Amino acid sequence: MTEIPGTAPADEFPQAVFFDMDGTLLDSEPLWDVALEELAVVLGGTLRPEVRDRMVGSNEDASVIYLLEDLGLPAADFPGHVQWLRNRMKTLFAAGVTWKPGARELLDEVRAAGVPTALVTSTARELTEVLLGTLGAANFDVIICGDEVQSRKPDPEPYTTAAAKLGVDITRGIVIEDSRSGSESALAAGAVTFAVPSEVPLPESNPAHRLTTLDGITLADLREIAAP
């Protein structure tokens, strides 16, 4: 994607808002539950809740690895299992995915305010493209997918890469996440980080600003909460 010139004033806040996708903007985690449970059955086992919890916020590759390890299966057919999962998710996503409460309204407000936006997801590009039919690709100035960086969340690279493409100071950006790995990625990048836990609670030691929902949350609210 073409880099966006860095025109935001140095004292502007936020210079950009970065959104995670699964579990933050879209209520897609239940669909991942379906596909992962089905894959476990195909592999001759079951998906244990604690293993599923480890997968939240990760990518398809990591999820399949966690599953194979838990089932005591070799990783020799790993690429095939990942492709099976992606194909199943394409079918589930194509049937429709709902927005998380308040997410669409907040995204619309940020866009209307002229604040640059980025979608930063651990999901692969081929699956993200399906979901952009719901999200609207035009709602994001930059889109970073899990298979477009060398180090995925919780590494800071996805967010530092998005900030560089936007031409903004990541420390003056707001990130909205839902998972432990995603919020740790944003915090490590130096962003002002908000977490709206959906599937798995965050540890108390995680210093992200906590929100129970995005429903009713405005850009002004985010600015006020993040103020020193």
Side-chain angles (χ1 to χ4, degrees):
M1 183 168 288
T2 304
E3 294 193 9
I4 309 298
T7 57
D11 60 349
E12 182 177 321
F13 182 79
Q15 291 188 1
V17 179
F18 304 78
F19 293 92
D20 171 54
M21 183 173 69
D22 293 293
T24 301
L25 287 177
L26 297 179
D27 193 18
S28 48
E29 290 295 350
L31 299 180
W32 283 102
D33 290 343
V34 171
L36 288 162
E37 288 169 359
E38 291 178 351
L39 177 58
V41 172
V42 168
L43 294 173
T46 58
L47 177 63
R48 296 191 300 129
E50 55 267 40
V51 177
R52 175 64 181 114
D53 287 351
R54 289 185 65 197
M55 297 173 178
V56 175
S58 66
N59 55 76
E60 308 96 280
D61 291 3
S63 294
V64 170
I65 289 173
Y66 295 150
L67 181 59
L68 292 174
E69 288 177 347
D70 188 61
L71 297 179
L73 297 175
D77 295 328
F78 164 75
H81 299 324
V82 172
Q83 194 57 55
W84 187 99
L85 181 61
R86 287 183 181 176
N87 290 341
R88 183 67 178 118
M89 289 308 302
K90 283 183 183 179
T91 300
L92 293 171
F93 284 163
V97 185
T98 59
W99 289 80
K100 294 289 286 186
R104 185 171 193 169
E105 292 79 4
L106 178 59
L107 176 59
D108 287 346
E109 183 192 357
V110 173
R111 294 299 291 176
V115 178
T117 56
L119 182 68
V120 184
T121 176
S122 293
T123 300
R125 170 63 69 165
E126 67 177 291
L127 286 180
T128 301
E129 289 292 339
V130 179
L131 292 175
L132 285 173
T134 297
L135 291 170
N139 280 323
F140 306 98
D141 299 298
V142 163
I143 299 172
I144 302 295
C145 298
D147 53 351
E148 296 173 339
V149 291
Q150 290 190 357
S151 299
R152 305 183 184 188
K153 302 174 186 179
D155 191 275
E157 183 184 350
Y159 283 108
T160 56
T161 299
K165 286 184 175 292
L166 285 174
V168 302
D169 179 357
I170 188 63
T171 66
R172 297 198 62 75
I174 286 176
V175 168
I176 303 178
E177 273 280 357
D178 74 306
S179 68
R180 177 175 184 170
S181 64
S183 59
E184 287 178 352
S185 171
L187 289 164
V192 176
T193 305
F194 287 82
V196 193
S198 57
E199 298 294 311
V200 180
L202 296 183
E204 291 299 322
S205 59
N206 188 303
H209 298 286
R210 308 297 177 91
L211 298 172
T212 56
T213 180
L214 290 179
D215 194 18
I217 296 296
T218 67
L219 182 58
D221 292 330
L222 298 179
R223 287 187 173 118
E224 182 178 354
I225 294 169

